Amino acid sequence: RKEVEQDPGPFNVPEGATVAFNCTYSNSASQSFFWYRQDCRKEPKLLMSVYSSGNEDGRFTAQLNRASQYISLLIRDSKLSDSATYLCVVNRDVGDMRFGAGTRLTVKP
Amino acid sequence: NAGVTQTPKFQVLKTGQSMTLQCAQDMNHNSMYWYRQDPGMGLRLIYYSASEGTTDKGEVPNGYNVSRLNKREFSLRLESAAPSQTSVYFCASSEGRVGTGELFFGEGSRLTVL
């Protein structure tokens, strides 16, 4: 079993839709959590950190449930430019970052 | 701003050949990483260096060696390439403190082993 598991997708949604991605992690000692975005044939880039109290960045909301070892990302009012693969990332220790396999999102006109 | 630079960007090898992927960062980061990315598998950690002078195995270290040459440079070596090592390889760096999760990636190196 992979240490970080994500919805496999793909998610195909119309512009303006709300879409949610889920992620679970197996190591309860994990200390910090992130969502990354990766465009086709490009390198991943940080989208946002995930805090225990939940946090928002514009149309993006991230949630963490440590008891259930579960992380989520909600995208509201989807744009064509949101089309990408979204990667859940878990930080176990200094230098040790583990990625989920990613969920592909396609937003259509 | 250069950020993280990795070379070469493309490489074709024959089974059994060796090669080294080079990576350098100019952000004075403590930690550096090598990942491989395969379709449907996401990024898998090969090796990482939490700080200069240390290296540790990640999820898939077999068939690879690394060297943290100095704070800036972290190389990945394939001693005897196998077709299963055909992949896209990403080097990354970070400040190296838990909680500061921003990894800065190079553009990737596409390796094909025939």
Side-chain angles (χ1 to χ4, degrees), chain A residues 45-95:
Chain A
K45 294 184 178 179
L46 179 67
L47 178 66
M48 60 194 302
S49 301
V50 186
Y51 302 119
S52 297
S53 55
N55 49 295
E56 272 191 26
D57 184 0
R59 298 180 293 108
F60 299 83
T61 301
Q63 298 276 356
L64 167 65
N65 184 323
R66 285 187 184 270
S68 301
Q69 296 180 203
Y70 171 90
I71 305 159
S72 65
L73 177 67
L74 184 77
I75 305 176
R76 292 183 300 278
D77 189 23
S78 299
K79 311 290 185 191
L80 295 176
S81 58
D82 293 334
S83 296
T85 297
Y86 291 84
L87 303 165
C88 176
V89 183
V90 172
N91 185 190
R92 299 198 301 170
D93 199 353
V94 173

Side-chain angles (χ1 to χ4, degrees), chain A residues 2 31-32 34 36 38 41-46 49 87 91 93-102, chain B residues 31 33 35 37 40-45 48 50 58-59 90 96 98-99 101-103 105-107 110:
Chain A
K2 276 185 68 77
Q31 301 190 48
S32 50
F34 311 91
Y36 275 68
Q38 186 175 25
R41 300 182 72 81
K42 296 287 191 180
E43 71 273 22
K45 294 184 178 179
L46 179 67
S49 301
L87 303 165
N91 185 190
D93 199 353
V94 173
D96 189 354
M97 302 276 282
R98 304 290 175 113
F99 282 71
Chain B
S31 297
Y33 313 76
Y35 289 89
Q37 186 171 34
M41 301 293 292
L43 278 86
R44 291 183 290 170
L45 184 63
Y48 67 99
E59 301 170 82
F90 286 101
V98 171
E102 187 161 15
L103 292 175
F105 284 86
E107 293 182 339
R110 285 172 168 74

